Amino acid sequence: MIAKLRSQLPDAWQFFVAPALAAVLPWKLAYRWLRWLSRHSRSAFDEPAQAAAATAPDYLAIADREAFAANVRLNCLWDTADLYLSLLRGRRAALPWHVQQVGAWPRDSHFIAAGFHHGHGHWVFRTLARAGFDASLVSARWDRADYPGLPLRYWYGRLRGGDVQRLSGRPVVFRPGAKAQLARALDEGAAVVSVLDMPPRMAPRGQRPVRLLDRDASFPDGTLELAKAAGVTIVPYWMEFDLDRGVRRFVIGEPLDPADPATLQKLADLLDRAIRLTPSAWFFWPEWPRWIADAAAAAAPSEAKSQAG
């Protein structure tokens, strides 16, 4: 029993204790704490940091792998602290001073808010709530069987999902069978929140080619197809970082036409720029080599069919 409890201590520290402590401190002090922890201790989020540090330098010029890994740990801690920062605030409470909103959500129509696994996504739901929108997020289910021997990760995911639902004002939409539920949400005047950088392994249907980080990759087209069917626009959002000061800019872009063949690449270009500015904030570095390979395999049958025609 004692050995089992000890095995859970790292997860208790990285998902609950360290980020929750940051959330209750004055932010300048909290950020100094998170930054110190990311650089002087590997007790929190070193697993994703080492995985990212093993991959990213093969695709971008990363001068210092150790500093990069420390920044990955910092971004993981920062993202996790966002949950506790959110739990301490009402649904439509003002953003804290260290999260600055740039741009605004459309007021005259509903839309699909399109983001990426880069940065800290909790703020999209709060900004939508403050603009008067309920929102529907499509997600994979949190299944306890997916966390064998890691119960705290499961309960952290449930806690985070519960807060997303509180901020959204609508239940989270789970795959499969999400399309009809999302269409209904748009019909009812809600916004839909979608993340586009889903590799073929996680979203095999409707993958379409894009260029990302100077490589041939792919994004799924389900978000664009949903927007076209509903007659709504795609509104991109992303996060920009000042890692020295601990300040972030939540940026809302201009609406894009889902019927425009260039839209998917425009969205990929936004992610490309964000990754190059702050590579440590992209959570999908460990997926990237397989993503490229899977995208090439998916493209091969289409190319063969085109040549045969």
Side-chain angles (χ1 to χ4, degrees):
M1 176 62 72
I2 293 176
K4 188 174 181 180
L5 289 174
R6 283 180 177 172
S7 71
Q8 301 305 313
L9 288 177
D11 280 356
W13 176 248
Q14 68 186 4
F15 288 107
F16 295 95
V17 179
L21 177 59
V24 299
L25 291 171
W27 182 248
K28 288 185 178 181
L29 180 60
Y31 189 69
R32 287 176 62 186
W33 152 248
L34 294 179
R35 194 173 172 87
W36 183 92
L37 190 63
S38 71
R39 280 152 175 73
H40 296 89
S41 172
R42 295 192 176 184
S43 60
F45 294 108
D46 196 50
E47 180 183 347
Q50 294 306 318
T55 301
D58 293 337
Y59 300 94
L60 289 179
I62 306 292
D64 187 333
R65 290 189 186 223
E66 285 301 314
F68 174 77
N71 281 335
V72 173
R73 289 191 289 271
L74 173 62
N75 273 294
C76 290
L77 283 164
W78 205 352
D79 178 56
T80 309
D82 277 347
L83 169 59
Y84 302 100
L85 287 168
S86 177
L87 289 170
L88 294 172
R89 291 167 168 79
R91 181 177 180 235
R92 297 187 181 182
L95 302 183
W97 66 266
H98 49 87
V99 181
Q100 303 161 357
Q101 181 175 327
V102 179
W105 296 113
R107 295 283 187 172
D108 55 350
S109 65
H110 44 296
F111 52 88
I112 295 180
F116 315 101
H117 291 91
H118 179 277
H120 310 150
H122 226 64
W123 299 103
V124 62
F125 305 102
R126 184 172 297 279
T127 59
L128 285 167
R130 285 179 52 77
F133 288 101
D134 288 345
S136 287
L137 169 71
V138 60
S139 172
R141 290 186 181 275
W142 292 286
D143 190 337
R144 196 164 188 171
D146 293 334
Y147 299 88
L150 300 168
L152 293 182
R153 299 190 187 193
Y154 168 75
W155 288 112
Y156 170 78
R158 289 292 301 270
L159 181 63
R160 191 173 182 112
D163 194 53
V164 166
Q165 187 163 307
R166 174 181 74 94
L167 296 173
S168 300
R170 298 179 68 95
V172 175
V173 176
F174 295 110
R175 301 185 185 96
K179 186 176 180 180
Q181 296 178 67
L182 295 174
R184 185 164 58 250
L186 290 169
D187 287 341
E188 293 171 355
V192 164
V193 177
S194 174
V195 283
L196 288 167
D197 54 335
M198 297 295 291
R201 181 178 70 83
M202 297 182 180
R205 295 183 180 178
Q207 288 277 340
R208 285 165 50 182
V210 295
R211 287 288 288 178
L212 183 64
L213 300 178
D214 300 322
R215 300 296 195 282
D216 291 329
S218 61
F219 277 179
D221 65 0
T223 296
L224 271 65
E225 294 302 317
L226 177 65
K228 283 193 291 186
V232 302
T233 58
I234 303 284
V235 181
Y237 68 90
W238 63 93
M239 190 73 81
E240 297 176 352
F241 296 83
D242 184 335
L243 295 181
D244 292 328
R245 297 172 54 232
V247 175
R248 292 167 288 179
R249 287 159 45 99
F250 180 86
V251 185
I252 301 169
E254 293 297 320
L256 299 172
D257 179 0
D260 184 347
T263 290
L264 204 61
Q265 184 59 55
K266 289 178 181 178
L267 292 163
D269 290 343
L270 290 174
L271 176 60
D272 187 285
R273 177 179 177 275
I275 294 173
R276 292 176 190 276
L277 286 173
T278 313
S280 60
W282 197 33
F283 291 102
F284 269 3
W285 277 120
E287 285 283 341
W288 185 231
R290 181 174 175 179
W291 187 338
I292 297 170
D294 287 351
S302 298
E303 292 176 359
K305 184 177 180 180
S306 175
Q307 291 174 2

